[in-house]
Amino acid sequence: MGLSIDEQKAVDRFRKTVVEPSMSSLVILDFWAEWCGPCKALTPVLEKVAAEYADKGVVLAKVNVDEEQFIAAQFQVRSIPTVYAMFQGQPVADLTNARSESQLKGILDQLLAKLPVQPGGAAPAQDVAPLIAMGEDVLASGDAERAAGIFMQIAEMAPDNGAAQAGLVRALAAAGHIEEAEAVLAALPDSLAKDAEVARARTALDLAKDRPADDELAGLKAAATPGNPDGQLAYATAAFAAGQRDAAAETLLAMIAADREWNDGAAKAKLLQIFEAVGLEDPWVAAQRRKLSLVLFG
């Protein structure tokens, strides 16, 4: 996903020491350094409170910013100490200004009253729905590489979650990592073979395979004239694979309006395939379906 070997190792360490424990516990994440005087003053407070709240599901994780510069950069740490509360892989509170026991305990009590933290670290069924929603938002914004990284972590946390695995496949496909996406599909257990989200991802991957080289799309667009429906279909297919879904939909809708029966309804079939790949509940699909209804029924 564009990370160096050292950066990937840093991510793996953070996943094991912070993300995985946070799936059931409330993790106090402390960014510190050996040379930081305020950090040394705060450490005993954090350790004491974490020990007192251990039976409530609170644990302390420390990140040395000199040794883990990549992780500190991801959290945009600009000064230390910086302290967060983490739950299910996400920051849920900034504890940096809680420098006394009473302040820290007050915030922890509020968080524990709201979050399904498991005392003693008992692992609940992992609720990855918020993480999946975040991955979907990132993918919809066009940052397929980042979305693939998010979905990869979710898939490792919940390997039997069809939506997580499907999201990974779609993000990899959108990023142009076709072979990696195919490998994810091939490795899925039989229990996910008929999952609706996985089927959607398979369709998205099939469409992504039509992605043209950067210098080919302009030529396909030039050939996509009203008198050349084959050229229009080829351009729409390539445009969607290249991430230009508006252009693809506009071309296909124009084809349907001109001759909906052309090539046994090939334009409509391609548009419906695109709807399936994007997701029938997606707002963009809903808007395009309204346009299709106007074309078909006036």
Side-chain angles (χ1 to χ4, degrees), residues 170-233:
R170 289 186 292 107
L172 287 170
H177 303 302
I178 302 301
E179 292 183 0
E180 290 91 332
E182 290 177 330
V184 172
L185 278 177
L188 291 180
D190 293 340
S191 59
L192 293 180
K194 296 182 179 180
D195 184 274
E197 291 291 336
V198 172
R200 171 189 166 197
R202 189 174 286 108
T203 299
L205 177 57
D206 288 341
L207 289 170
K209 293 177 182 178
D210 294 316
R211 184 169 186 163
D214 292 340
D215 57 349
E216 293 179 2
L217 190 59
L220 290 170
K221 183 177 181 179
T225 60
N228 182 12
D230 287 303
Q232 288 180 296
L233 183 62

Side-chain angles (χ1 to χ4, degrees), residues 73-151:
Q74 301 311 299
F75 279 81
Q76 300 182 343
V77 174
R78 295 182 174 85
S79 63
I80 52 175
T82 291
V83 186
Y84 292 110
M86 300 279 294
F87 184 64
Q88 293 189 342
Q90 297 296 306
V92 293
D94 187 342
L95 306 179
T96 303
N97 293 325
R99 299 301 178 93
S100 69
E101 286 187 38
S102 60
Q103 290 174 330
L104 185 58
K105 289 179 178 179
I107 297 176
L108 291 179
D109 287 339
Q110 292 178 19
L111 292 173
L112 291 170
K114 298 177 181 178
L115 301 172
V117 176
Q118 302 298 304
Q126 294 179 331
D127 181 12
V128 295
L131 302 180
I132 291 174
M134 179 178 69
E136 293 289 357
D137 287 343
V138 172
L139 182 57
S141 75
D143 194 346
E145 290 284 357
R146 182 176 169 226
I150 293 171
F151 278 117

Side-chain angles (χ1 to χ4, degrees), residues 253 260 286-298:
L253 287 168
R260 69 184 67 176
Q288 301 306 318
R289 291 178 72 175
R290 287 193 292 271
K291 293 179 182 179
L292 177 61
S293 293
L294 287 174
V295 170
L296 293 177
F297 308 113

